[in-house]
Amino acid sequence: MDFFSVLYYRFKKVWKSIRLYLVIAGPGLVVMIADNDAGGITTYAATGAKYGYHLIWFLLLLIPVAYYVQEMTVRLGAVTKRGHAEAIFESFGAFWGWFSLIDLMFVDWLTLVTEFVGMTAALSIFGVPAWLTVILVVLLMSIIVLNGRYWTWEKIALGFCLLNLIYIPAAFMVNPSIASILGQGLIPNLPGGFNNELFFLLMANIGTTIAPWMLFFQQSSVVDKGLQEKDIKMGKLDTFIGSIITVAVAIFIVIVTGTLLNGAPIDDAATAARMLMKTNHYIGAFMAIGLFDAGLLGAICISLASSWAFGEIFGWAHSLNTKVKEAPWFYISFFITLATAGVVPLIPGAPLVLITLFVQVVAVTLLPAALVFLILLLNDKKTMGEYANTPLQNIVSSLIVVMIIILSTLYGISALFPNLFK
Amino acid sequence: MRMLKQFIRKIREINQRYAKPKIEMSKGVSFSLAVLRVYLFVLVLLMIYKFITVL
């Protein structure tokens, strides 16, 4: 009897924790899964096609990288109740504040263009014209955002996150060799030795794992959701689960292209989807649907990151819990960012390759600054109190941040000067 | 014109509100910000160089 009482008590306790998690879950999952945006899908597809399963071990290393950086935004948001832009303005003054805000606006807008490029390319595979895709996406995203409740928005976004898992059945459908995945993928190795091409792809994988908008988005999202200090533990768990899912999805994409397109030149995910369709129609279709979903998720988060940041600084009402009448500028800035970025892929002869390269370069100017600010803010004991970084957290996060800064800088410089590392 | 004036006034207001950094400017913070300035300066120089050579 005693045994059953203990068992029942433990079950109730676990069930209570699960229910609490389900309430708090959201910002971490959404930001991490949205991290696999259109650009990310292209990078993973190219990684699999070029090196097969050989770089899966490297993708696994990105779990702690993504987690340690993003969990800091959870603590910062929950303790200060301020978004990242406002925190930078307040702590480091107007110069660094404007620098971050204007840079964020550029990076977000340019990244948003690349998301639309991915979405239009994905739906063109099914014969949907680009203009129709853009109109549908802008309409759909406006409807999602205009419902006036953060909770509803988050649940819809989580629904799209679920669709991002479409790569998992796709990977099973290609019947990969488990022995090859384990043998080639889990043992750290550098296929073909360390060369420029490999280095560029590794840097691209890191670049897609941590993007500037993610820091701003998750912190603002935590604030908008109203997470408190007591929710930090669950918020961190949410981020950790999200980082595992994002890397898992990346690995399944690598498995798909590594199995069916090994050695094929892949410039973008839409090309990969078209090539996959020739082998297996359903897998190609899954790839295209996944690419569209990735672009949509990325677009949802990126456009919100900008609107939240501007709202914080300009003092506009900036919550998804407000109606259009109560926060007109928040929604206007969201819509303008979205619509102007959506128009670009429709312009004949638009320099889309140049825009993609420009995203990498401009991101390099913002990411190091945002990461350095993050660590400095997390060390401000006066504000953070018991939630400030511990010495161990400082060592781990500083190492990760320094590594990201070095690699993303090299990535940006290699985009500026493609022949430099050849 | 009125909107532009309002916008400029708003920018000034923001600049005044955040004129003084609130974080304690310890040696570590000052050093980090100085390194960041140098890093960004070099990066901007590289971009300008690229822009000029492309033109």
Side-chain angles (χ1 to χ4, degrees):
Chain A
M1 188 66 193
D2 221 26
F3 171 76
F4 286 109
S5 305
V6 171
L7 202 66
Y8 178 72
Y9 173 74
R10 283 198 181 154
F11 169 77
K12 287 279 277 185
K13 208 174 159 188
V14 170
W15 180 236
K16 195 178 162 193
S17 299
I18 291 172
R19 279 198 310 182
L20 184 64
Y21 171 72
L22 290 175
V23 171
I24 290 166
L29 283 176
V30 172
V31 75
M32 285 298 184
I33 297 173
D35 178 34
N36 285 339
D37 61 353
I41 303 295
T42 294
T43 305
Y44 304 134
T47 303
K50 181 78 191 166
Y51 295 109
Y53 310 140
H54 287 280
L55 292 181
I56 287 177
W57 64 272
F58 183 76
L59 292 173
L60 287 170
L61 289 182
L62 298 179
I63 294 176
V65 171
Y67 168 72
Y68 273 105
V69 171
Q70 289 301 131
E71 73 85 20
M72 286 195 278
T73 65
V74 177
R75 279 187 281 149
L76 198 55
V79 172
T80 62
K81 314 283 185 290
R82 289 190 183 94
H84 202 53
E86 197 177 351
I88 292 172
F89 261 92
E90 196 165 87
S91 296
F92 301 101
F95 170 77
W96 287 114
W98 285 118
F99 163 77
S100 303
L101 191 66
I102 294 168
D103 220 355
L104 177 76
M105 184 185 76
F106 271 115
V107 180
D108 280 2
W109 189 82
L110 291 167
T111 315
L112 208 50
V113 173
T114 65
E115 306 300 353
F116 272 103
V117 171
M119 285 187 281
T120 49
L123 288 197
S124 72
I125 292 170
F126 301 109
V128 181
W131 62 268
L132 187 59
T133 306
V134 171
I135 290 174
L136 286 176
V137 167
V138 173
L139 271 177
L140 179 69
M141 283 177 57
S142 300
I143 292 166
I144 295 170
V145 165
L146 289 175
N147 72 75
R149 280 190 72 195
Y150 175 91
W151 193 91
T152 315
W153 170 85
E154 189 185 85
K155 298 308 165 228
I156 295 171
L158 283 172
F160 287 116
C161 288
L162 213 60
L163 192 59
N164 203 256
L165 305 182
I166 198 165
Y167 295 106
I168 298 175
F172 281 102
M173 283 164 72
V174 301
N175 291 320
S177 157
I178 304 294
S180 299
I181 292 171
L182 296 177
Q184 295 169 9
L186 296 186
I187 298 161
N189 67 101
L190 298 172
F194 195 76
N195 54 50
N196 297 316
E197 217 169 356
L198 176 68
F199 183 53
F200 193 80
L201 214 52
L202 292 180
M203 287 190 292
N205 276 287
I206 292 182
T208 57
T209 306
I210 293 294
W213 65 264
M214 292 169 67
L215 307 177
F216 289 83
F217 173 85
Q218 191 170 5
Q219 194 170 329
S220 295
S221 180
V222 161
V223 174
D224 207 354
K225 185 159 183 168
L227 295 193
Q228 309 288 321
E229 281 97 327
K230 64 180 169 57
D231 304 320
I232 286 176
K233 205 174 154 187
M234 284 295 173
K236 285 166 80 170
L237 177 67
D238 183 41
T239 309
F240 184 64
I241 293 173
S243 59
I244 290 175
I245 294 175
T246 191
V247 170
V249 168
I251 290 173
F252 281 108
I253 296 169
V254 166
I255 291 173
V256 171
T257 55
T259 308
L260 294 183
L261 301 177
N262 204 346
I266 300 291
D267 289 329
D268 58 81
T271 309
R274 281 199 181 90
M275 289 167 90
L276 285 168
M277 268 189 167
K278 289 176 191 162
T279 319
N280 184 318
H281 183 80
Y282 291 107
I283 295 170
F286 280 12
M287 190 76 179
I289 292 168
L291 176 62
F292 174 76
D293 181 63
L296 189 70
L297 259 177
I300 289 173
C301 296
I302 291 163
S303 44
L304 266 180
S306 292
S307 301
W308 267 324
F310 273 95
E312 286 159 18
I313 302 311
F314 281 85
W316 309 328
H318 55 275
S319 170
L320 285 169
N321 286 316
T322 51
K323 300 277 179 205
V324 182
K325 272 186 185 172
E326 297 160 340
W329 287 108
F330 173 65
Y331 290 106
I332 287 172
S333 68
F334 172 83
F335 186 76
I336 289 175
T337 313
L338 196 63
T340 51
V343 166
V344 177
L346 303 180
I347 301 170
L352 299 178
V353 176
L354 197 69
I355 287 173
T356 312
L357 282 177
F358 205 57
V359 170
Q360 293 158 6
V361 177
V362 181
V364 165
T365 61
L366 179 58
L367 188 62
L371 289 172
V372 168
F373 292 147
L374 191 63
I375 292 199
L376 293 179
L377 288 166
L378 264 294
N379 277 286
D380 184 9
K381 290 200 167 56
K382 214 163 68 184
T383 311
M384 294 302 295
E386 60 176 300
Y387 298 101
N389 268 2
T390 62
L392 183 67
Q393 280 172 325
N394 269 334
I395 291 170
V396 175
S397 53
S398 298
L399 280 174
I400 289 172
V401 164
V402 167
M403 186 197 71
I404 292 173
I405 291 174
I406 292 171
L407 290 175
S408 64
T409 304
L410 290 173
Y411 185 47
I413 290 174
S414 65
L416 268 180
F417 307 99
N419 296 322
L420 196 68
F421 297 109
K422 281 184 182 167
Chain B
M1 198 63 187
R2 215 180 108 213
M3 267 183 83
L4 186 72
K5 275 184 184 171
Q6 271 181 344
F7 183 71
I8 293 169
R9 204 182 311 136
K10 188 79 193 170
I11 302 281
R12 279 196 188 133
E13 188 193 310
I14 293 168
N15 284 341
Q16 276 174 357
R17 199 189 324 151
Y18 299 113
K20 203 168 171 275
K22 277 196 178 166
I23 200 161
E24 194 188 326
M25 282 292 164
S26 63
K27 279 183 184 170
V29 174
S30 303
F31 175 75
S32 305
L33 294 181
V35 171
L36 205 56
R37 274 176 207 264
V38 174
Y39 169 86
L40 290 170
F41 183 69
V42 172
L43 216 58
V44 169
L45 280 184
L46 279 174
M47 281 189 213
I48 293 170
Y49 170 77
K50 176 73 183 180
F51 187 68
I52 292 168
T53 50
V54 165
L55 283 179

